[in-house]
Amino acid sequence: CETDFVSRNKDFQHFVAQIIETSFEQMKKHTLGSTFQQLSSSAITAFGPMGNKHATLGDFVAENIGHFGENISVSRGCLMSGNDGILSSYVYNSVKIPDSDVAMGTYASFVHLRPNRGTDFGNEEEVRALGVKIGQHIVGMNPTCVMKSEAASGEGEALMDQNYLLDSNVTIKEWLASHDIHVTDFVRFALSENKD
């Protein structure tokens, strides 16, 4: 949805929360081979059932396009596991959906962090707060991979090589090292993108 007055509508927000919550329940059934798995639009829209009325999430979305008078699509999703680290998220221009744990916004990022040594993070809330700062950087600077060796055909910019958005005197790699943590994976979402 790209129209501000529609996205601020409580019915639309409830609709988004239903999609997210159903997707989350369906994704929990997947077994991850790593901390991160991308899900295509076709995989997500096949999730179901959506209550008693809709066989799939795609049917639910299609019916509501007319209700909201807005072109609505689910372009992609991901599943990240924090079992061996900490997950942090950042949502730009965030709207918290009432009676839900869901927030929506123009951009979002999710970051998986691990300690540099051992398995002890110390204060996990402080690490999550650092993850939010990295999430802000990811939203603002749009890196394509964590390390340059992961870049497809050398294209795109690696997170570790970028100057830190909130302190351009250091790279992300240096900033993370000063906090004794590293990023193992991240994902960035933007309104209206389609990477299916």
Side-chain angles (χ1 to χ4, degrees):
C1 170
E2 296 185 41
T3 309
D4 191 48
F5 71 87
V6 172
S7 67
R8 305 284 178 192
N9 176 297
K10 299 288 184 223
D11 289 342
F12 181 78
Q13 292 174 0
H14 179 70
F15 164 74
V16 169
Q18 286 180 286
I19 290 173
I20 299 297
E21 289 161 2
T22 297
S23 297
F24 180 70
E25 289 304 314
Q26 293 286 321
M27 285 186 220
K28 286 192 320 189
K29 298 175 184 175
H30 287 265
T31 303
L32 285 177
S34 65
T35 59
F36 179 78
Q37 178 182 340
Q38 286 275 13
L39 296 171
S40 67
S41 173
S42 58
I44 296 169
T45 56
F47 288 162
M50 291 289 296
N52 298 326
K53 190 174 176 185
H54 302 95
T56 67
L57 189 143
D59 295 339
F60 180 64
V61 170
E63 181 177 295
N64 280 283
I65 288 173
H67 174 74
F68 293 113
E70 186 78 17
N71 187 16
I72 302 166
S73 65
V74 178
S75 61
R76 69 185 179 111
C78 75
L79 182 59
M80 287 184 110
S81 169
N83 291 342
D84 59 348
I86 289 182
L87 295 177
S88 278
S89 63
Y90 171 73
V91 180
Y92 176 76
N93 202 17
S94 178
V95 173
K96 172 81 171 78
I97 298 176
D99 303 319
S100 161
D101 290 329
V102 175
M104 57 185 211
T106 311
Y107 299 93
S109 63
F110 298 89
V111 182
H112 184 265
L113 302 164
R114 287 189 184 151
N116 280 340
R117 290 183 228 72
T119 58
D120 183 24
F121 276 108
N123 185 328
E124 290 190 15
E125 287 308 310
E126 285 180 17
V127 174
R128 268 195 190 81
L130 296 172
V132 169
K133 290 180 179 184
I134 295 297
Q136 289 173 311
H137 174 91
I138 290 166
V139 162
M141 301 301 289
N142 197 16
T144 56
C145 57
V146 176
M147 307 284 283
K148 194 64 157 178
S149 60
E150 299 169 357
S153 305
E155 295 177 11
E157 196 169 356
L159 174 66
M160 293 298 126
D161 297 337
Q162 291 181 327
N163 286 339
Y164 181 36
L165 182 66
L166 302 177
D167 180 359
S168 62
N169 293 317
V170 297
T171 65
I172 288 291
K173 183 176 182 177
E174 293 165 338
W175 187 83
L176 288 167
S178 74
H179 293 285
D180 208 24
I181 57 175
H182 66 274
V183 172
T184 58
D185 221 330
F186 71 86
V187 64
R188 179 184 186 271
F189 291 94
L191 182 66
S192 300
E193 74 181 353
N194 189 355
K195 294 186 176 185
D196 197 14

